[in-house]
Amino acid sequence: VGGGLLGLEAAGALTDMDVDVTLLQAGGWLMSAQLDEGAGMALNRIIGSKGLQVKTDALTSSLSTADDGAVSSLSLQNGEILDADIVVFSIGVRPADALAQDSGIGCHERGGVLIDAGCHTDTPHIYAIGEVACFNDQCVGLVAPGYAMAEVAAHRLLGGDSEFTGFDLSTKLKLSGVDVASFGDAFAQ
């Protein structure tokens, strides 16, 4: 469940182990956070030609289990039921900002601890980095920006003036036989 970068890579790994895979994507095309509709639809066709079944606009509504507790099927909101022996969810990250909210630290209305270019929150001596940090109204669950934020915070703690300049959202799909790279502003915004 989830047709983003990590979901595709997990589906590819399962396929390489001779598992029949149905990839479910809530949106209309794969990698919808990185690719525009045309590129995403091309990727849908390429992935489909590799033997991976892709279902788009597929919203999971429930899982059913057998008497022993093992998954037996997955239901979609459109009423379709798919038999399943295993279900892998790769549906993104949400910032775990409850501690910050409970402490009165400023958070974005959609989640994430608000930070400035120095990775400072609105509370003295408190920094936030990684997927919990909201910079320029955006939280990103990628490791590279988290490392960059960690460097800025460490430099600031040592008295420096480093600044986080923003997220590098370039991505590369690591799936055998499928080369996809995304960089720049894929949505022309």
Side-chain angles (χ1 to χ4, degrees), residues 111-151:
V113 178
L114 295 169
I115 63 167
D116 63 15
C119 297
H120 292 107
T121 67
D122 64 359
T123 302
H125 311 296
I126 305 288
Y127 295 81
I129 63 171
E131 62 264 9
V132 75
C134 182
F135 181 73
N136 287 341
D137 296 326
Q138 196 173 20
C139 292
V140 174
L142 298 173
V143 70
Y147 288 158
M149 289 177 189
E151 287 182 19

Side-chain angles (χ1 to χ4, degrees), residues 97-112:
D97 60 8
L99 178 61
Q101 288 184 19
D102 292 347
S103 300
I105 297 171
C107 292
H108 194 277
E109 62 193 26
R110 290 188 318 251

Side-chain angles (χ1 to χ4, degrees), residues 34-37 183-189:
Q34 292 87 15
L35 302 177
D36 66 12
E37 184 175 4
F183 48 90
D185 184 2
F187 303 100
Q189 295 177 343

